[in-house]
Amino acid sequence: MSDIVTAGMVVIGDEILSGRTKDKNVGHLADMLTAVGIDLKQVRIVPDEQADIVEAVNALRARFDYVFTTGGIGPTHDDITADTIAAAFGVPCDYHPDAYPLLEAHYAARGIEFTEARKRMARTPQGASLIDNPVSVAPGFNIGNVYVMAGIPSVFQAMLDNVIPTLRTGAKLLSGSLICTLGEGTIGGPLGEIQKAFPETIIGSYPRFETSGPYTEIVVRSRSAEQRDAALAAVKEMLDSLGNGG
Amino acid sequence: MSDIVTAGMVVIGDEILSGRTKDKNVGHLADMLTAVGIDLKQVRIVPDEQADIVEAVNALRARFDYVFTTGGIGPTHDDITADTIAAAFGVPCDYHPDAYPLLEAHYAARGIEFTEARKRMARTPQGASLIDNPVSVAPGFNIGNVYVMAGIPSVFQAMLDNVIPTLRTGAKLLSGSLICTLGEGTIGGPLGEIQKAFPETIIGSYPRFETSGPYTEIVVRSRSAEQRDAALAAVKEMLDSLGNGG
């Protein structure tokens, strides 16, 4: 179906895998993509190592409409994302004709030396276009269907705000939910039957453990509002028949 | 090197990819593994779909010493992890001889019907051993080098506490860090030289944007305390020479 648009994400970061930093970008990207009707289908978190990054980016860009990466685009030796994406696409990595003067002017205006390290942030794979960075100037970039952004959440979010309006979006997954005080073991059987009866919906069941007793949220998602509403009505009827809230 | 032990993680969850739930298990597993000397090398977040789960689990279990999964082991139709792991290993999935009576007795003692849905939680791939669940009884399981645990953070954490002491652990990565008020563009060049001079260390640079000015944390990790300390000393000397805090 042409109105389904898919995405993958590659988080580049030793610091996430070591536990030193807790990722905040997966949840933000998921929220933003869901809001515009793009389905995030897979996330991979990989170390700052070229072979791992190339493998993940190439696997996901072949499979999904868009790939978003976070991390590794700063000025230090451990920031290898630009070189790595160039390797994934089989193109050279060099100073971008717009990024270099942008950064040069930025540092000149502030009287800061434009060091070799800072110049590294002007490097992109050949043919990439820039993603504006209103927070800290050094840009992200886009090549093919891959969008390369910063790992620092405030910078990632600002870059993503510039990218989202340029993307092709699909039919949104519409969701609705019901909360019940019945356990999943009680509702599980009939809920499975409802899922079978409404194949155009995705019905999820999310339990919590509360000291007051069982508490389960049932979420129905569908690209059709009618199907979603019909499935939700069937769920409500089932819950009522089992004595929810009675 | 035999004293390096590696791990992968597969997070099974439509609700993470849609943004509805924010994952808390990656960071917890990363912390726990780092603490005992196991290197988390890759995380994949995949939807509740058998083909995606099988592909991720088989890719990671072939590559790393251990694989940990979270999510999809409850009683409802969307909990397909047990069947899926069985498919990944090419074995049948059926009631586990210990899990079935465990759950049967648990529900009998509470006067709760042992429904077909609840019986689903006793199913494991043939040959699996159970992982105790002190929070909500329904167990996780281990087959081969794969450890299958709950997605609810409190349950996942309790299961993991039971798993960690059974794992082979390696030499811990020892870390040390220095904070400076110099920007990455200033320290990036010399820091890269220090990384080259200390190949047995992994030197990471983590900037933050503070309104007071640049703020960068430099983290040195190594399995050798001597190498770590020597690299940290070199970093400190470099920072002092550039006027940090002066």
Side-chain angles (χ1 to χ4, degrees):
Chain A
M1 289 167 62
S2 63
D3 64 347
I4 294 184
V5 181
T6 58
M9 178 183 194
V10 180
V11 176
I12 298 158
D14 281 351
E15 71 280 16
I16 307 294
L17 293 170
S18 74
R20 190 189 155 277
T21 300
K22 301 296 178 274
D23 171 76
K24 292 178 182 168
N25 295 333
V26 173
H28 180 75
L29 181 69
D31 284 338
M32 293 291 283
L33 293 181
T34 296
V36 297
I38 296 175
D39 294 359
L40 182 60
K41 300 295 281 180
Q42 186 171 135
V43 178
R44 296 192 189 183
I45 308 175
V46 298
D48 301 345
E49 289 170 24
Q50 176 154 329
D52 294 298
I53 301 168
V54 168
E55 183 200 16
V57 167
N58 279 343
L60 300 189
R61 76 186 173 97
R63 192 144 143 191
F64 304 120
D65 295 312
Y66 296 113
V67 173
F68 304 94
T69 80
T70 61
I73 64 167
T76 54
H77 65 278
D78 56 336
D79 293 305
I80 62 170
T81 302
D83 290 276
T84 298
I85 300 294
F89 279 84
V91 299
C93 189
D94 209 343
Y95 294 129
H96 187 283
D98 298 327
Y100 191 95
L102 177 79
L103 286 165
E104 187 174 38
H106 168 70
Y107 289 112
R110 298 165 75 201
I112 295 175
E113 188 188 353
F114 194 32
T115 56
E116 287 303 315
R118 293 192 171 101
K119 290 178 186 174
R120 276 173 61 82
M121 296 189 288
R123 297 173 75 247
T124 71
Q126 199 170 78
S129 56
L130 301 182
I131 299 172
D132 188 39
N133 170 2
V135 176
S136 51
V137 182
F141 61 84
N142 161 231
I143 178 169
N145 62 344
V146 178
Y147 294 77
V148 174
M149 291 174 279
I152 295 175
S154 60
V155 183
F156 168 65
Q157 291 167 22
M159 287 181 173
L160 186 63
D161 286 344
N162 288 324
V163 167
I164 291 275
T166 71
L167 303 176
R168 185 170 70 86
T169 56
K172 289 183 195 178
L173 264 177
L174 308 170
S175 74
S177 69
L178 288 166
I179 288 168
C180 73
T181 55
L182 300 166
E184 282 198 307
T186 302
I187 65 172
L191 193 65
E193 295 304 313
I194 294 171
Q195 173 70 83
K196 279 183 202 154
F198 294 92
E200 286 177 51
T201 67
I202 302 163
I203 303 180
S205 171
Y206 305 103
R208 288 189 218 163
F209 293 101
E210 307 283 347
T211 49
S212 56
Y215 175 100
T216 307
E217 183 172 10
I218 298 158
V219 178
V220 177
R221 294 183 300 150
S222 178
R223 291 197 156 78
S224 152
E226 291 73 20
Q227 286 291 309
R228 176 199 58 182
D229 293 344
L232 275 172
V235 172
K236 183 168 190 315
E237 188 179 350
M238 180 270 287
L239 295 176
D240 289 346
S241 76
L242 291 172
N244 180 46
Chain B
M1 287 168 64
S2 64
D3 65 345
I4 295 185
V5 181
T6 59
M9 179 183 196
V10 180
V11 176
I12 298 159
D14 281 351
E15 72 277 19
I16 307 293
L17 293 171
S18 74
R20 189 190 155 277
T21 301
K22 301 296 179 274
D23 172 76
K24 294 178 181 168
N25 295 332
V26 173
H28 180 74
L29 182 69
D31 284 337
M32 294 291 282
L33 294 181
T34 297
V36 299
I38 296 174
D39 293 358
L40 181 60
K41 299 296 282 180
Q42 187 171 133
V43 178
R44 296 192 189 183
I45 308 176
V46 298
D48 301 346
E49 289 171 23
Q50 177 155 327
D52 294 300
I53 301 168
V54 169
E55 183 200 14
V57 167
N58 279 344
L60 300 189
R61 75 186 174 98
R63 190 143 141 192
F64 303 120
D65 295 311
Y66 296 113
V67 174
F68 304 93
T69 80
T70 62
I73 64 168
T76 54
H77 65 277
D78 56 336
D79 293 306
I80 63 169
T81 302
D83 290 276
T84 297
I85 300 294
F89 278 85
V91 300
C93 188
D94 209 343
Y95 294 129
H96 188 282
D98 298 328
Y100 190 96
L102 176 78
L103 286 165
E104 188 174 38
H106 168 72
Y107 289 112
R110 298 164 76 199
I112 296 174
E113 187 186 355
F114 194 32
T115 56
E116 288 302 317
R118 293 192 171 100
K119 289 177 186 173
R120 276 174 61 81
M121 293 189 290
R123 297 172 77 248
T124 71
Q126 200 171 76
S129 55
L130 301 182
I131 298 172
D132 188 39
N133 170 1
V135 175
S136 51
V137 182
F141 61 85
N142 161 231
I143 177 168
N145 61 343
V146 178
Y147 294 78
V148 174
M149 291 175 279
I152 295 176
S154 60
V155 184
F156 168 66
Q157 290 167 21
M159 288 181 171
L160 186 63
D161 286 343
N162 289 322
V163 167
I164 290 277
T166 72
L167 303 175
R168 184 170 71 84
T169 55
K172 290 182 196 177
L173 265 177
L174 307 170
S175 73
S177 69
L178 288 166
I179 288 168
C180 72
T181 54
L182 300 167
E184 281 197 307
T186 303
I187 64 173
L191 194 65
E193 294 303 313
I194 294 172
Q195 173 70 84
K196 278 183 203 154
F198 294 91
E200 287 176 50
T201 68
I202 303 163
I203 303 179
S205 171
Y206 305 103
R208 289 188 217 163
F209 292 100
E210 307 283 346
T211 49
S212 56
Y215 175 100
T216 307
E217 184 173 8
I218 298 158
V219 178
V220 176
R221 295 184 299 151
S222 177
R223 291 197 155 78
S224 152
E226 291 73 20
Q227 286 292 309
R228 176 200 59 185
D229 294 344
L232 276 172
V235 172
K236 182 165 190 316
E237 189 180 351
M238 180 269 288
L239 295 177
D240 289 346
S241 76
L242 291 171
N244 179 46

